[in-house]
Amino acid sequence: MNICLVGYGSIARSHLEALRGEDITLGWVVGRLLEPSEAFATEFGFARSSIDLSEALGDPAVDAVLITSPSDLHADQTELA
């Protein structure tokens, strides 16, 4: 399963820890700021990073979106996904 992770904070790290050992591909990490998104992608081995969720969702390889952004963003991001 190819994952798009939205958010790169502490809860994102916890979710990735919980997914350790699962058959997943770390496709995209999408964050609010480009530099931290890129750093998180590099640290965890994501193939791509972006600050544009629409860009990541346009990738036909994405199978699932894991939203770990701040709670006040969840509704809009969920609707977009």
Side-chain angles (χ1 to χ4, degrees):
M1 180 181 323
N2 192 314
I3 300 290
C4 171
L5 180 72
V6 182
Y8 49 73
S10 61
I11 197 67
R13 292 172 181 278
S14 295
H15 279 75
L16 290 176
E17 179 64 31
L19 290 170
R20 188 177 301 213
E22 298 296 325
D23 186 21
I24 61 169
T25 300
L26 301 176
W28 287 85
V29 61
V30 178
R32 186 173 51 90
L33 301 170
L34 187 56
E35 190 172 296
S37 298
E38 290 173 342
F40 189 94
T42 299
E43 180 181 349
F44 287 94
F46 280 85
R48 296 178 161 194
S49 62
S50 181
I51 56 170
D52 182 357
L53 180 54
S54 295
E55 177 185 17
L57 295 176
D59 182 345
V62 171
D63 297 312
V65 178
L66 187 60
I67 298 176
T68 64
S69 59
S71 297
D72 61 322
L73 302 175
H74 287 186
D76 289 341
Q77 292 169 337
T78 299
E79 287 178 10
L80 189 58

